[in-house]
Amino acid sequence: MNYVLPVVVVLICGAAVEFNEYQHAIADVHESARRDSQTYANLIMGRLDTRFTELDMALAALHGPDDN
Protein backbone atom coordinates (compact mmCIF):
# COMPACT_ATOMS: atom_id res chain seq x y z
CA MET A 1 0.00 0.00 0.00
CA ASN A 2 2.98 2.30 0.61
CA TYR A 3 3.93 2.15 -3.07
CA VAL A 4 0.42 2.35 -4.48
CA LEU A 5 -0.38 5.90 -3.36
CA PRO A 6 2.67 7.54 -5.02
CA VAL A 7 2.02 5.58 -8.21
CA VAL A 8 -1.61 6.73 -8.25
CA VAL A 9 -0.56 10.35 -7.65
CA VAL A 10 2.00 10.17 -10.47
CA LEU A 11 -0.58 8.64 -12.82
CA ILE A 12 -3.14 11.33 -11.98
CA CYS A 13 -0.58 14.10 -12.48
CA GLY A 14 0.57 12.56 -15.75
CA ALA A 15 -3.01 12.29 -16.98
CA ALA A 16 -3.64 15.94 -16.04
CA VAL A 17 -0.53 17.09 -17.92
CA GLU A 18 -1.46 15.06 -21.00
CA PHE A 19 -5.03 16.40 -20.94
CA ASN A 20 -3.71 19.96 -20.68
CA GLU A 21 -1.36 19.42 -23.63
CA TYR A 22 -4.24 17.89 -25.60
CA GLN A 23 -6.40 20.95 -24.93
CA HIS A 24 -3.58 23.25 -26.07
CA ALA A 25 -3.15 21.20 -29.25
CA ILE A 26 -6.88 21.48 -29.97
CA ALA A 27 -6.76 25.25 -29.45
CA ASP A 28 -3.75 25.54 -31.78
CA VAL A 29 -5.48 23.51 -34.51
CA HIS A 30 -8.65 25.59 -34.22
CA GLU A 31 -6.70 28.85 -34.41
CA SER A 32 -4.76 27.62 -37.42
CA ALA A 33 -7.96 26.50 -39.16
CA ARG A 34 -9.62 29.86 -38.44
CA ARG A 35 -6.62 31.78 -39.77
CA ASP A 36 -6.39 29.61 -42.91
CA SER A 37 -10.11 29.86 -43.61
CA GLN A 38 -9.99 33.66 -43.20
CA THR A 39 -7.10 33.85 -45.66
CA TYR A 40 -8.98 31.69 -48.17
CA ALA A 41 -12.16 33.76 -47.74
CA ASN A 42 -10.18 36.95 -48.39
CA LEU A 43 -8.74 35.40 -51.55
CA ILE A 44 -12.20 34.48 -52.82
CA MET A 45 -13.53 37.92 -51.91
CA GLY A 46 -10.74 39.57 -53.90
CA ARG A 47 -11.46 37.41 -56.93
CA LEU A 48 -15.19 38.11 -56.77
CA ASP A 49 -14.56 41.83 -56.39
CA THR A 50 -12.38 41.73 -59.50
CA ARG A 51 -15.08 39.88 -61.45
CA PHE A 52 -17.80 42.33 -60.39
CA THR A 53 -15.60 45.25 -61.42
CA GLU A 54 -15.06 43.61 -64.82
CA LEU A 55 -18.81 43.08 -65.17
CA ASP A 56 -19.52 46.72 -64.28
CA MET A 57 -17.05 47.85 -66.93
CA ALA A 58 -18.58 45.49 -69.50
CA LEU A 59 -22.07 46.78 -68.65
CA ALA A 60 -20.92 50.37 -69.11
CA ALA A 61 -19.32 49.47 -72.46
CA LEU A 62 -22.48 47.68 -73.65
CA HIS A 63 -24.77 50.55 -72.73
CA GLY A 64 -22.62 53.07 -74.57
CA PRO A 65 -22.43 56.81 -73.94
CA ASP A 66 -26.21 57.41 -73.93
CA ASP A 67 -27.77 55.53 -71.00
CA ASN A 68 -31.45 55.78 -71.92
Side-chain angles (χ1 to χ4, degrees):
M1 186 67 177
N2 290 339
Y3 297 112
V4 174
L5 185 60
V7 170
V8 170
V9 170
V10 168
L11 288 175
I12 290 172
C13 289
V17 167
E18 288 298 320
F19 181 76
N20 192 23
E21 288 181 7
Y22 175 72
Q23 293 298 324
H24 282 290
I26 288 174
D28 288 345
V29 168
H30 284 190
E31 178 62 26
S32 177
R34 187 200 60 78
R35 189 175 48 248
D36 291 345
S37 64
Q38 184 65 39
T39 302
Y40 188 61
N42 286 338
L43 175 69
I44 292 171
M45 183 181 68
R47 289 179 180 173
L48 286 173
D49 189 43
T50 301
R51 296 300 180 256
F52 284 129
T53 302
E54 290 172 353
L55 288 172
D56 282 341
M57 292 174 62
L59 179 67
L62 287 174
H63 276 218
D66 56 341
D67 193 17
N68 290 337

